[in-house]
């Protein structure tokens, strides 16, 4: 194939205080060399946006494992919102492979399978940012999938959200046993009310004071799984933790989880 012009969406500046606008992005066009070597493929993304986990269609290939026309999931493709269906199962929209059947679902599943192992009936689990909403965007519903996995095992689920509508949605539709609005309600008081005996597991997606409060409320020998840090990602000033000694006093187990170390487990996850 001859070289082609490739339109790209680039980051112009980092978002601050959970506010993401068009000013954070810029567009340009660059020429792409389409000459392939053995084992390489050329992918045309479905509805091009900004680089990240995404779906694309192979338009040229020299790799028998990825024939022309195949749909691929990649960690360095633009995000997309195309409504093409999965040819193997037309009931599944292909965009599902960017959330529940993609890296988002893989994150929750692999973290549970690797660290938690199995939620126990009536175990008290607190997931910060359970709705997975970042600002006004459906940024990452990882917390939602954690909540679903925990509820399936009979755990007592506590979450937080950034609006009363979101709180109501997760109580009524996801089945959380307790959920509060962290913007208008006191997290310490709400956790004390929802789980007066303390927390068994905290799955943290926020960091900063949210994690600090959870360290206060978790029981001795509890488990803290650190999956994300929305506050730091938003560019806020570095938070000074006050309760790190609780890790020692309560003999807590604290483990970080990075899905990029578990991408090889995608076949075990099962959707493809």
């Amino acid at each position: 194939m001859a070289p082609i012009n490739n339109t790209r969406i680039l980051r112009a500046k980092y978002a601050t205080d959970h506010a993401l606008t068009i000013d954070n992005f810029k567009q340009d066009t660059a020429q792409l060399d389409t000459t392939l070597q053995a084992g390489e493929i050329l992918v045309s993304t479905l509805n091009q946006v900004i680089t990240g986990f995404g779906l694309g269609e192979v338009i040229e290939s020299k790799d028998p494992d990825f024939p022309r026309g195949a749909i691929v999931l990649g960690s360095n493709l633009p995000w997309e919102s195309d409504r093409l269906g999965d040819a193997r199962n037309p009931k599944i929209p292909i965009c599902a492979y960017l959330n529940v059947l993609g890296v988002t679902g893989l994150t929750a599943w692999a973290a549970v399978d690797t660290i938690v192992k199995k939620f126990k009936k009536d175990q008290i689990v607190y997931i910060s940012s359970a709705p997975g909403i970042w600002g006004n965007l459906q940024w990452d519903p990882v917390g939602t999938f954690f909540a679903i996995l925990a509820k399936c095992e009979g755990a007592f689920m506590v979450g937080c959200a950034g609006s009363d509508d979101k709180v109501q949605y997760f109580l009524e539709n996801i089945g959380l046993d307790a959920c509060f609005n962290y913007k208008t309600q006191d997290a310490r008081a709400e956790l004390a009310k929802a789980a007066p005996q303390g927390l068994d597991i905290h799955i943290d997606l926020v960091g900063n004071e949210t994690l600090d409060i959870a360290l206060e409320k978790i029981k001795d020998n509890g488990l803290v799984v650190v999956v994300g840090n929305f506050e730091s990602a938003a560019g806020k000033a570095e938070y000074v933790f006050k309760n790190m000694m609780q890790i020692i006093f309560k003999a807590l187990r604290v483990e970080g989880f990075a899905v990029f170390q578990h991408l090889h487990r995608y076949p075990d996850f099962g959707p493809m």
Side-chain angles (χ1 to χ4, degrees):
M1 293 180 62
I4 59 176
N5 289 327
N6 187 39
T7 301
R8 307 180 299 178
I9 305 298
L10 308 175
R11 181 179 60 217
K13 61 182 180 181
Y14 285 100
T16 58
D17 195 27
H18 292 193
L20 195 64
T21 70
I22 192 65
D23 294 331
N24 294 109
F25 307 96
K26 62 182 180 181
Q27 176 179 312
D28 75 356
T29 301
Q31 193 171 72
L32 179 66
D33 184 358
T34 60
T35 303
L36 300 184
Q37 305 299 322
E40 293 183 338
I41 61 175
L42 180 62
V43 175
S44 176
T45 57
L46 308 176
N47 197 11
Q48 208 169 39
V49 267
I50 195 169
T51 301
F53 280 93
L55 293 166
E57 180 182 359
V58 176
I59 60 173
E60 195 67 30
S61 175
K62 287 195 174 182
D63 188 329
D65 292 332
F66 297 93
R68 186 172 181 176
I71 302 298
V72 296
L73 174 70
S75 62
N76 197 31
L77 294 174
W79 302 334
E80 59 84 34
S81 57
D82 200 285
R83 294 186 179 272
L84 290 175
D86 186 335
R88 293 159 301 179
N89 188 341
K91 294 182 179 180
I92 299 178
I94 203 166
C95 60
Y97 292 103
L98 290 178
N99 46 72
V100 65
L101 298 181
V103 70
T104 305
L106 175 66
T107 299
W109 173 83
V112 171
D113 187 66
T114 304
I115 301 174
V116 179
K117 303 298 184 184
K118 184 178 179 65
F119 291 106
K120 298 177 182 177
K121 182 175 175 57
D122 297 327
Q123 201 170 41
I124 301 172
V125 181
Y126 172 46
I127 300 181
S128 60
S129 189
I133 307 296
W134 199 62
N136 294 321
L137 300 174
Q138 295 286 343
W139 183 258
D140 193 350
V142 171
T144 302
F145 300 143
F146 271 117
I148 292 171
L149 291 173
K151 285 302 299 179
C152 285
E153 299 294 341
F156 184 91
M157 279 302 314
V158 183
C160 62
S163 74
D164 293 339
D165 288 343
K166 294 171 188 174
V167 168
Q168 183 177 0
Y169 175 83
F170 280 87
L171 289 172
E172 296 179 355
N173 295 276
I174 303 301
L176 268 66
D177 298 283
C179 191
F180 60 90
N181 185 337
Y182 64 83
K183 292 182 179 179
T184 61
Q185 295 173 280
D186 181 84
R188 286 182 174 87
E190 294 303 316
L191 285 174
K193 184 191 308 181
Q197 64 273 57
L199 309 170
D200 294 297
I201 297 176
H202 172 50
I203 297 175
D204 188 68
L205 301 171
V206 178
N208 294 8
E209 187 181 19
T210 298
L211 176 56
D212 231 5
I213 294 171
L215 292 174
E216 287 181 16
K217 302 299 182 183
I218 199 165
K219 300 176 184 177
D220 290 357
N221 305 115
L223 170 64
V224 178
V225 184
V226 182
V227 182
N229 193 325
F230 287 174
E231 294 292 337
S232 293
K236 290 189 174 182
E238 184 175 350
Y239 177 80
V240 179
F241 284 91
K242 305 174 181 64
N243 292 318
M244 298 303 286
M245 287 299 291
Q246 296 293 328
I247 298 173
I248 299 173
F249 294 153
K250 296 180 178 180
L252 303 178
R253 178 160 65 100
V254 180
E255 291 197 32
F257 179 84
V259 70
F260 300 102
Q261 297 180 359
H262 296 266
L263 297 180
H264 65 283
R265 302 193 62 197
Y266 197 78
D268 299 329
F269 180 46
M272 298 298 281

